[in-house]
Amino acid sequence: MSARGINIEAVRALHDERIDWRFKGMPSAAFGTTVGEFLATRPTVFEGGFVGPLLTLDRTALEHNLRTMADWCAEHGVQLAPHGKTTMAPQLFEQQLAHGAWGITAASTSQLRVYRAFGVERILFANELVDRNGLAWLADELDRDPQFQFCCYVDSLRGVHLMAEALAAHGASRPVDVLVELGAPGARTGARTKAEAREIADAVLENPVLRLVGVAGYEGEVAHDVSDASLSAVDGYLVGVRELVAELAGAGHFSGLDEVIVTSGGSAYFDQVAEALIGPWPTGLPVVPVIRSGGYLLHDDGFYRVRSPFSREHRLAGAERPFQPAMRAWAQVMSRPEPGLALLTMGRRDASFDQDLPEPQVVRGADGVVRELPAGSCRVRGLADQHTFLELSGADPQVGDWVGFGLSHPCTVFDKWSLIPVVDGDEVVDLVRTFF
């Protein structure tokens, strides 16, 4: 274990895993070798035996995004617990923690178990946890490791009762830390009013197996674009979060705590969240403001390119270094069955399509040269399970050529890949293991 808050030895051991047919895209010549042995050969993407389609990560962009977010959080006085569901990759968790992340966020018991298998010491569970079996496992894990710090959400009296009943029946010796979650009408989880949230907080205090340590929310449910109206809705919601914290503090709910966790903030509005959470608090209230952005590490060429605070014109453009897209998918042209259409070896099993379709950006021809595709020269008109329909209006990729695509929404890219090459130029410098 190291001061980084993760078991370094367990992460390093991923390089001892043997490559085989389980990992799509990997070179057959590497089968039977360990990840470390394969990397020692200094393979390249196009001459190293990889088969398409293939997702790659750009090392320079990853490092830029890690530094940019760490610097921004330090400058603005907020802690970062990046949502690990984006990548489910302990190697990337380690890098985020090494760059100052306060902890890692999870949303399901299965995710939580992956984190603990790699010794993540501080986990913010951004969800309610009412499953008896999950709570029993959590209680055992808390008892086993005194260094393990955990907190989850509560948003109903029934949920508080179920948690307390399950933990007491299991004989838990450490209380589970909880945050009262404030939601919004029509949104996801969370108490719908501050009055309901106060009742829930009162119920927590009545149960010795639970400990109230703060307030949580998620602003992304009140706005789904970056219009002025949506940004105002986010600000209004955050006012309610602040008011709830102040009301609970005034009622003595946080007495005796060394820190009061107040958390919100996905990847689209974290600038507004930071502004709200670092504002003046009641004297003596030890608030720790925590944002949970996960998409920043990979960024993208679609959803977050438009919505990231560092990219959009509404607030921070020009004042911050924009994140860089770190993902690229490569697919080969397999067919040109009619004029104006190419079919490629990538489909819904390989690339995200829930927010935006892949964006064709570059083509690598038979001469091995990678060239930019002119804007508007082609577009993806649809994905089948294993095919990309590339509509051509100027570009002329030939059968056998490779097309590199930008992708949108990293969360639904990574769950399709279990071993992902990290590249520096064309050289593969690491393989990132995921656990979905």
Side-chain angles (χ1 to χ4, degrees):
M1 191 72 66
S2 83
R4 292 181 180 178
I6 194 169
N7 188 324
I8 302 299
E9 291 75 19
V11 176
R12 296 290 181 269
L14 291 171
H15 275 196
D16 298 329
E17 188 170 16
R18 295 198 176 275
I19 301 170
D20 58 24
W21 50 267
R22 293 172 298 159
F23 305 115
K24 67 180 181 180
M26 292 297 110
S28 58
F31 289 1
T33 67
T34 67
V35 169
E37 291 167 345
F38 175 62
L39 293 174
T41 68
R42 302 188 66 179
T44 61
V45 171
F46 290 104
E47 303 300 330
F50 290 91
V51 297
L54 187 68
L55 176 67
T56 63
L57 305 178
D58 184 85
R59 180 169 70 175
T60 299
L62 289 173
E63 292 176 348
H64 168 85
N65 295 343
L66 284 163
R67 290 192 308 269
T68 297
M69 192 61 164
D71 291 347
W72 189 87
C73 288
E75 291 166 5
H76 290 78
V78 295
Q79 299 287 354
L80 173 66
H83 212 316
K85 68 170 174 62
T86 303
T87 68
M88 290 304 294
Q91 290 152 283
L92 298 180
F93 296 170
E94 180 198 348
Q95 293 183 37
Q96 290 171 308
L97 290 164
H99 280 77
W102 177 85
I104 304 292
T105 296
S108 73
T109 303
S110 294
Q111 292 172 7
L112 181 61
R113 288 172 170 171
V114 172
Y115 296 10
R116 289 301 294 159
F118 288 87
V120 177
E121 290 183 347
R122 181 186 277 139
I123 299 171
L124 196 166
F125 194 89
N127 221 338
E128 280 63 31
L129 179 55
V130 296
D131 175 67
R132 179 177 292 269
N133 295 326
L135 286 164
W137 178 87
L138 173 65
D140 290 341
E141 195 70 6
L142 287 167
D143 291 346
R144 184 186 65 80
D145 183 1
Q147 301 303 313
F148 177 29
Q149 300 178 56
F150 172 89
C151 61
C152 68
Y153 296 175
V154 289
D155 74 346
S156 69
L157 297 177
R158 173 67 174 166
V160 170
H161 171 74
L162 289 174
M163 288 189 72
E165 183 181 58
L167 292 168
H170 193 70
S173 62
R174 284 180 62 186
V176 171
D177 289 348
V178 297
L179 309 168
V180 175
E181 183 188 11
L182 182 65
R188 206 162 58 187
T189 53
R192 288 328 197 218
T193 67
K194 294 195 292 281
E196 291 176 7
R198 291 194 300 270
E199 288 184 29
I200 295 163
D202 291 340
V204 170
L205 296 181
E206 295 172 359
N207 287 279
V209 292
L210 301 176
R211 187 175 73 137
L212 182 66
V213 298
V215 171
Y218 177 53
E219 75 294 337
E221 284 294 304
V222 302
H224 299 284
D225 57 35
V226 292
S227 65
D228 289 339
S230 287
L231 298 181
S232 294
V234 168
D235 287 335
Y237 168 75
L238 294 169
V239 168
V241 172
R242 285 188 58 89
E243 289 174 348
L244 176 59
V245 174
E247 290 176 16
L248 294 178
H253 285 72
F254 302 131
S255 298
L257 293 181
D258 294 329
E259 58 181 30
V260 175
I261 298 168
V262 184
T263 177
S264 194
S267 297
Y269 310 102
F270 62 80
D271 58 325
Q272 293 169 259
V273 172
E275 184 178 343
L277 299 192
I278 63 176
W281 292 100
T283 302
L285 187 64
V287 167
V288 177
V290 181
I291 61 174
R292 306 187 303 270
S293 310
Y296 79 92
L297 178 58
L298 303 169
H299 198 47
D300 70 9
D301 283 298
F303 187 79
Y304 289 121
R305 179 173 63 190
V306 174
R307 289 165 177 79
S308 170
F310 295 175
S311 301
R312 50 184 153 91
E313 297 178 357
H314 291 79
R315 300 178 73 87
L316 295 178
E320 307 286 349
R321 296 176 296 169
F323 295 129
Q324 297 175 1
M327 303 179 295
R328 173 161 283 174
W330 290 95
Q332 196 171 26
V333 178
M334 69 167 82
S335 176
R336 288 287 306 272
E338 62 185 60
L341 177 65
L343 279 299
L344 287 82
T345 58
M346 178 178 74
R348 295 174 183 151
R349 312 283 182 174
D350 314 299
S352 56
F353 58 93
D354 58 316
Q355 297 292 349
D356 301 284
L357 290 170
E359 179 182 88
Q361 295 176 335
V362 296
V363 60
R364 186 181 190 273
D367 59 2
V369 177
V370 176
R371 297 178 174 86
E372 298 286 332
L373 284 166
S377 63
C378 56
R379 72 176 185 91
V380 174
R381 80 177 191 203
L383 294 176
D385 280 357
Q386 306 292 171
H387 295 83
T388 296
F389 293 78
L390 189 64
E391 187 177 274
L392 308 175
S393 53
D396 190 30
Q398 300 300 302
V399 171
D401 289 354
W402 290 86
V403 177
F405 293 86
L407 301 172
S408 178
H409 198 196
C411 297
T412 51
V413 177
F414 260 57
D415 62 356
K416 298 169 174 57
W417 298 88
S418 55
L419 198 60
I420 308 172
V422 179
V423 299
D424 186 352
D426 189 43
E427 182 181 347
V428 177
V429 295
D430 202 0
L431 295 174
V432 167
R433 184 73 158 93
T434 69
F435 296 88
F436 284 93

